[in-house]
């Protein structure tokens, strides 16, 4: 397991009441951890069984994408959208990641399906389906609320209104708000805490973040992005020659063409200089350009008489992303995994745009896009291949009298999972004197991990963010291993390596791993 997966799995072992207290004090609601809790009770804690849950969520999301595509564009769009979804790398990645994001993608897709179904047939079943799936999306991650934002935006922008549907949808939103009310207080607190404390990300300063999100969405293939740009240019020429399309639609295709062809800068070795170009660095210019694009998009939708379904899939992938990007100039939150449930819409948007071309051209273009998706598809995400290697190597290096310094401290759960699974999964053994007064403080994750840190200390493994956090004297140690996972990046003044070298001299053995882990072995001469 990598990243924050051990954090999720570790706390999912605890009783549901404790999960609610611990996770609710963080950035996400506790729904996924509670589901994982019962999933572990059902089938155990093997890596295969744990990853089966997100895999199930992504599979169900694929079914929803197929249903939506069939509703919008018939069988050809169903086939094309399903293949694009299947060959999208980030879907495969999150299908193997024991985190909330697969659940967020799944229920966001089903929320959209029931929204469109409700717009066609205002039945109680569709309304209940929308409430349940949307509640699970937002209950998994607060950013699930942007799905509702896109749905309301599409209702407002679409020219023709269905008053009966709007009335039923408004009632459904009221019921959703009522059901989510227990978490509203937490959401408001987290919102103001984020404004005051900021986030771990740097603010957005230019349009380069759009390019990075585009690469993430389209399998990190510049060729695929350029192909899409060329397709939009071809469509633009055809539309101008036919003179049957509105001017705003032509403008929209022109904007899409420019965005998709940005990778050409990299081909001419200019990509690295994007941050250096003054007008692209201008926040005012970026905000104005994106705002004008939004106006064009709205005008296109209204003048082209797109249906509510067609408008919804466009705004699903465009509206909230632009909003988040603009917010990130002040409160950074424009991160790929935070918008995966929005990027999923491009499995629908790309075929929708391409199939508006003449029949032969559209089939050729769609085939090329699918082939490039498939060519750049990774069946097994590379980042999982070496997980745990460093911890197992440390076990072979370590002797009974060897002290281990683990830094930074927040890597303790991931380290423990790969180092000793029995220790990691004995959560109940560690919780006896960890809960204290039962009050969850801001530093809740540290409070609730103290038990596992004590277990590590019994094996002479000590967690530290800097040299001052060590609870033992180096003078009494003759053999020490420093497990360093990019400590300098988070704590540049940690002085752990410098202090060890001043006491022991240069490391006698250094092991390096692709994740950024270094093992430094020191022995006193």
């Amino acid at each position: 397991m990598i990243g924050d997966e051990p954090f999720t799995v570790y706390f999912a072992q605890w009783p549901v009441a404790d999960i609610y207290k611990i996770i609710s004090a963080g950035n996400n609601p506790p729904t996924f951890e509670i589901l994982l809790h019962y999933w572990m009770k059902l089938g155990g804690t093997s890596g295969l069984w744990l990853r089966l849950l997100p895999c199930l969520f992504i599979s169900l999301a694929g079914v929803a994408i197929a249903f939506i595509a069939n509703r919008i564009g018939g069988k050809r769009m169903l086939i094309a959208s399903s293949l694009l979804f299947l060959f999208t790398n980030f879907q495969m990645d999150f299908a193997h990641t024991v985190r909330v994001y697969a659940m967020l993608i799944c229920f966001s897709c089903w929320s959209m399906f029931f929204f469109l179904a409700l717009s066609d047939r205002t039945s109680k079943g569709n309304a209940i389906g929308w409430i349940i799936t949307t509640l699970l999306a937002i209950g998994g991650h607060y950013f699930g609320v942007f799905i509702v934002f896109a749905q309301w935006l599409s209702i407002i922008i679409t020219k023709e209104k269905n008053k009966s549907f709007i009335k039923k949808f408004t009632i459904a939103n009221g019921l959703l708000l009522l059901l989510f009310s227990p978490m509203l207080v937490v959401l408001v607190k987290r919102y103001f805490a984020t404004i005051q404390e900021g986030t771990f990300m740097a603010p957005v300063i230019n349009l380069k973040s759009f390019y990075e999100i585009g690469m993430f969405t389209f399998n990190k293939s510049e060729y695929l992005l350029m192909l899409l740009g060329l397709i939009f240019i071809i469509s633009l020429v055809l539309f101008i020659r036919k003179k049957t399309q509105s001017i705003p639609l032509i403008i929209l295709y022109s904007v899409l063409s420019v965005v998709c062809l940005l990778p050409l800068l990299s081909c001419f070795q200019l990509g690295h200089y994007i941050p250096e170009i003054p007008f692209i660095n201008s926040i005012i210019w970026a905000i104005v350009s994106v705002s004008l694009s939004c106006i064009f998009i709205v005008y296109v939708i209204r003048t082209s008489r797109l249906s509510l379904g067609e408008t919804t899939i466009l705004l699903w992938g465009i509206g909230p992303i632009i909003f988040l990007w603009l917010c990130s100039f002040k409160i950074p939150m424009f991160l790929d995994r935070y918008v995966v449930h929005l990027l999923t819409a491009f499995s629908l948007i790309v075929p929708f745009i391409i199939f508006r071309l003449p029949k032969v051209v559209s089939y050729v273009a769609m085939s090329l896009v699918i082939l490039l998706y498939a060519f750049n598809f990774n069946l097994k995400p590379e980042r999982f291949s070496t997980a745990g290697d460093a911890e197992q190597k440390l076990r072979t290096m370590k002797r009974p009298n060897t002290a281990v310094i683990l830094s930074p401290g927040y890597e303790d759960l991931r380290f423990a999972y790969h180092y000793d699974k029995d220790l990691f999964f004995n959560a109940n053994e560690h919780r006896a004197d960890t809960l204290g007064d039962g009050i969850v403080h801001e530093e809740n994750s540290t409070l609730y991990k103290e038990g596992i840190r004590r277990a590590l200390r019994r094996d002479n493994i000590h967690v530290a963010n800097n040299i001052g956090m060590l609870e033992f004297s180096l003078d009494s140690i003759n053999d020490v291993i420093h497990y360093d996972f990019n400590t300098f990046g988070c704590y540049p003044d940690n002085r752990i390596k410098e202090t060890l070298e001043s006491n022991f001299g240069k490391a006698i053995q250094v092991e390096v791993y692709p994740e950024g882990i270094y093992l430094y072995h020191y022995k006193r001469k």
Side-chain angles (χ1 to χ4, degrees):
M1 292 204 173
I2 60 174
D4 291 333
E5 286 182 291
F7 178 94
T8 300
V9 174
Y10 179 73
F11 288 113
Q13 302 174 80
W14 295 59
V16 171
D18 292 334
I19 294 174
Y20 182 83
K21 286 190 294 184
I22 300 166
I23 305 301
S24 294
N27 293 323
N28 299 325
T31 308
F32 178 73
E33 283 77 9
I34 292 172
L35 287 175
L36 185 61
H37 172 86
Y38 290 109
W39 183 258
M40 291 163 67
K41 283 186 175 294
L42 181 64
T45 58
S46 72
L48 179 63
W49 177 254
L50 292 174
R51 296 199 192 283
L52 189 59
L53 181 60
C55 200
L56 178 63
F57 282 136
I58 292 296
S59 300
L60 290 173
V63 175
I65 288 289
F67 285 161
I68 295 171
N70 188 53
R71 180 181 292 271
I72 300 296
K75 289 184 179 179
R76 66 177 185 173
M77 187 166 168
L78 182 155
I79 294 170
S81 294
S82 299
L83 287 172
L84 293 189
F85 183 85
L86 176 66
F87 292 130
T88 300
N89 280 335
F90 74 78
Q91 304 290 1
M92 176 61 70
D93 195 347
F94 288 112
H96 291 79
T97 304
V98 190
R99 292 283 284 155
V100 69
Y101 303 108
M103 175 182 170
L104 176 62
I105 292 169
C106 174
F107 290 113
S108 295
C109 291
W110 280 103
S111 172
M112 282 298 184
F113 168 78
F114 282 112
F115 170 75
L116 296 177
L118 187 63
S119 69
D120 288 342
R121 183 167 172 266
T122 54
S123 66
K124 287 184 179 179
N126 288 332
I128 292 171
W130 180 85
I131 291 171
I132 292 173
T133 53
T134 309
L135 181 64
L136 287 169
I138 303 173
H141 198 290
Y142 291 126
F143 277 22
V145 74
F146 288 108
I147 291 296
V148 183
F149 169 73
Q151 291 166 351
W152 273 110
L153 196 59
S154 63
I155 290 173
I156 294 168
I157 291 176
T158 305
K159 197 165 187 178
E160 298 189 7
K161 312 291 184 187
N162 182 336
K163 292 182 179 179
S164 174
F165 161 63
I166 294 174
K167 181 180 177 181
K168 291 279 181 69
F169 188 60
T170 304
I171 294 171
N173 274 260
L175 292 172
L176 174 68
L177 191 63
L178 182 64
L179 291 170
F180 191 70
S181 57
M183 292 302 300
L184 280 178
V185 176
V186 178
L187 175 58
V188 171
K189 285 182 178 178
R190 292 308 306 160
Y191 171 75
F192 284 108
T194 301
I195 290 177
Q196 185 177 2
E197 301 168 10
T199 68
F200 65 91
M201 293 176 284
V204 167
I205 58 171
N206 52 40
L207 288 174
K208 190 177 182 182
S209 52
F210 267 122
Y211 169 78
E212 293 168 347
I213 287 290
M215 291 293 287
F216 175 79
T217 306
F218 299 111
N219 291 2
K220 297 182 180 179
S221 170
E222 293 183 339
Y223 296 107
L224 180 55
L225 273 175
M226 287 188 284
L227 174 62
L228 289 172
L230 291 172
I231 288 170
F232 292 137
I233 287 177
I234 292 169
S235 64
L236 175 63
V237 173
L238 291 173
F239 288 154
I240 292 173
R241 287 185 63 185
K242 288 175 67 176
K243 297 182 180 179
T244 58
Q245 300 294 326
S246 65
I247 291 176
L249 192 59
I250 292 172
I251 293 172
L252 173 62
Y253 273 56
S254 302
V255 171
L256 288 170
S257 301
V258 172
V259 170
C260 289
L261 288 173
L262 277 177
L264 282 173
L265 291 172
S266 296
C267 294
F268 294 105
Q269 298 183 348
L270 295 174
H272 297 296
Y273 296 98
I274 288 179
E276 316 267 340
I277 302 175
F279 74 88
I280 289 185
N281 269 342
S282 167
I283 293 177
I284 295 175
W285 177 86
I287 292 175
V288 169
S289 63
V290 172
S291 300
L292 289 174
S293 299
C294 293
I295 293 170
F296 282 135
I297 292 168
V298 171
Y299 189 40
V300 165
I301 291 170
R302 292 185 69 87
T303 57
S304 301
R305 296 187 178 277
L306 298 182
S307 67
L308 178 64
E310 293 168 336
T311 303
T312 301
I313 64 170
L314 286 172
L315 294 178
W316 175 7
I318 297 173
I321 288 178
I322 290 175
F323 176 78
L324 281 169
W325 177 79
L326 291 172
C327 290
S328 294
F329 280 99
K330 181 67 177 176
I331 308 171
M333 50 187 170
F334 197 62
L335 187 64
D336 49 23
R337 64 176 181 264
Y338 290 171
V339 295
V340 286
H341 59 309
L342 308 174
L343 299 177
T344 302
F346 282 93
S347 297
L348 296 161
I349 292 172
V350 171
F352 170 72
I353 292 177
I354 289 178
F355 283 134
R356 295 177 74 89
L357 296 169
K359 188 173 182 179
V360 175
V361 176
S362 67
Y363 279 116
V364 171
M366 196 70 249
S367 299
L368 288 173
V369 169
I370 291 171
L371 284 173
L372 271 177
Y373 261 85
F375 182 77
N376 291 282
F377 176 66
N378 292 323
L379 188 60
K380 183 181 179 182
E382 294 179 2
R383 66 194 190 99
F384 295 107
S385 58
T386 59
D389 290 356
E391 291 76 14
Q392 293 309 308
K393 178 63 178 180
L394 186 143
R395 290 184 71 92
T396 65
M397 295 167 61
K398 187 177 182 300
R399 298 292 179 264
N401 64 337
T402 303
V404 176
I405 301 173
L406 167 62
S407 67
Y410 59 75
E411 290 294 335
D412 50 0
L413 291 180
R414 189 196 57 77
F415 173 87
Y417 176 84
H418 292 294
Y419 180 77
D420 187 344
K421 286 186 173 61
D422 289 336
L423 181 151
F424 180 87
F425 283 112
N426 283 332
N428 287 330
E429 176 186 319
H430 305 315
R431 67 184 292 272
D433 55 350
T434 300
L435 291 176
D437 55 11
I439 300 173
V440 178
H441 307 282
E442 283 301 315
E443 58 276 8
N444 66 88
S445 61
T446 302
L447 172 69
Y448 281 79
K449 291 190 296 182
E450 183 54 34
I452 206 166
R453 290 187 175 186
R454 282 199 303 273
L456 289 172
R457 284 198 293 271
R458 285 196 291 269
D459 202 15
N460 210 3
I461 300 172
H462 306 267
V463 174
N465 293 330
N466 55 67
I467 195 65
M469 287 181 64
L470 291 181
E471 298 177 349
F472 62 90
S473 172
L474 290 175
D475 295 336
S476 61
I477 301 295
N478 294 317
D479 189 3
V480 62
I481 298 173
H482 179 203
Y483 178 101
D484 181 7
F485 197 156
N486 190 29
T487 312
F488 181 82
C490 302
Y491 304 98
D493 298 324
N494 66 85
R495 297 198 54 77
I496 296 175
K497 185 179 178 182
E498 294 86 343
T499 304
L500 290 174
E501 288 183 352
S502 67
N503 278 267
F504 298 90
K506 292 289 183 181
I508 62 170
Q509 183 180 0
V510 179
E511 301 285 338
V512 184
Y513 294 87
E515 303 96 315
I517 299 172
Y518 288 78
L519 297 180
Y520 299 98
H521 192 182
Y522 301 89
K523 280 191 175 181
R524 198 177 299 280
K525 296 178 180 179

